[in-house]
Amino acid sequence: MLKRVIFPLLAAFALAGCATSSNTLDVTPKMTLPQQDPSLMGVTISVNGADQRTSQALAQINRDNQLVTLTPSRDLRFLLQEVLEKQMTARGYMIGPNGAVDLQIVVNKLYANVTQGNLRYSITTNADISITATAKNGNRQVKTYRQTYSVEGAFNATNEKITNAVNATMSDVISDMAQDTSINDFIKQNSR
């Protein structure tokens, strides 16, 4: 009886110990919402996301003479689609199928270049995110947001430091999207 209880418990603890060295980065950028546009009267738009990157990796790093690939905790296209939906709802749009304008947010590039030596590390994160607005009348507009973020420090580039760099870069892109009115202007001109 005791063996039936002890061995599964030991196995569970052993597996829990293995899970602490994760290769997943918790991507949770800061959300910035734009001001509401009072001139919008019941305009419906549709929003979807796409990921055009050739690899799902956010970074690769050499640890203990092994190349480790770090991936995001969430699918980036759904994360950014959710962000864009919240931003457009905050502006005053309704989100739904068959909208006056279709928006697609595309991850073209999001990657952290990580280098580390014996005493120092360097992380440079590059983001390239675009929003394509396509109106029912055939008009189209593409707006691209690019950000670069660099940080250096002592010793090793931990997952937490890489995550912070990725989140800072994405937060800057999201803030740029909230402040930019070009997509909003395009929708207002083409939804009548």
Side-chain angles (χ1 to χ4, degrees), residues 126-141:
N126 291 297
D128 185 313
I129 312 283
S130 58
I131 298 174
T132 303
T134 308
K136 295 296 180 215
N137 63 14
N139 289 345
R140 201 177 147 162
Q141 178 177 328

Side-chain angles (χ1 to χ4, degrees), residues 58-185:
L58 283 180
Q60 288 189 317
I61 186 167
N62 194 335
R63 291 194 176 137
D64 300 324
N65 294 323
Q66 284 193 323
L67 191 62
V68 176
T69 300
L70 304 175
T71 56
S73 57
R74 288 189 61 186
D75 188 325
L76 294 178
R77 66 189 159 145
F78 293 126
L79 172 69
L80 287 167
Q81 178 180 333
E82 184 181 308
V83 166
L84 185 58
E85 285 176 357
K86 286 181 180 176
Q87 287 185 340
M88 297 315 278
T89 302
R91 285 193 197 278
Y93 292 102
M94 293 185 291
I95 308 296
N98 304 319
V101 175
D102 298 325
L103 297 183
Q104 182 178 46
I105 186 161
V106 180
V107 185
N108 300 311
K109 181 179 186 181
L110 182 60
Y111 192 77
N113 263 333
V114 182
T115 56
Q116 64 182 14
N118 292 338
L119 298 174
R120 297 201 55 77
Y121 70 87
S122 170
I123 304 168
T124 303
T125 308
N126 291 297
D128 185 313
I129 312 283
S130 58
I131 298 174
T132 303
T134 308
K136 295 296 180 215
N137 63 14
N139 289 345
R140 201 177 147 162
Q141 178 177 328
V142 178
K143 178 69 182 188
T144 302
Y145 303 91
R146 292 182 181 95
Q147 281 292 340
T148 301
Y149 178 86
S150 295
V151 63
E152 294 182 359
F155 305 114
N156 294 326
T158 62
N159 282 9
E160 182 182 4
K161 292 172 184 170
I162 298 167
T163 300
N164 290 342
V166 170
N167 282 333
T169 307
M170 288 188 67
S171 297
D172 288 346
V173 168
I174 291 167
S175 176
D176 289 349
M177 288 166 45
Q179 293 170 21
D180 183 34
T181 60
S182 62
I183 296 292
N184 187 43
D185 295 341

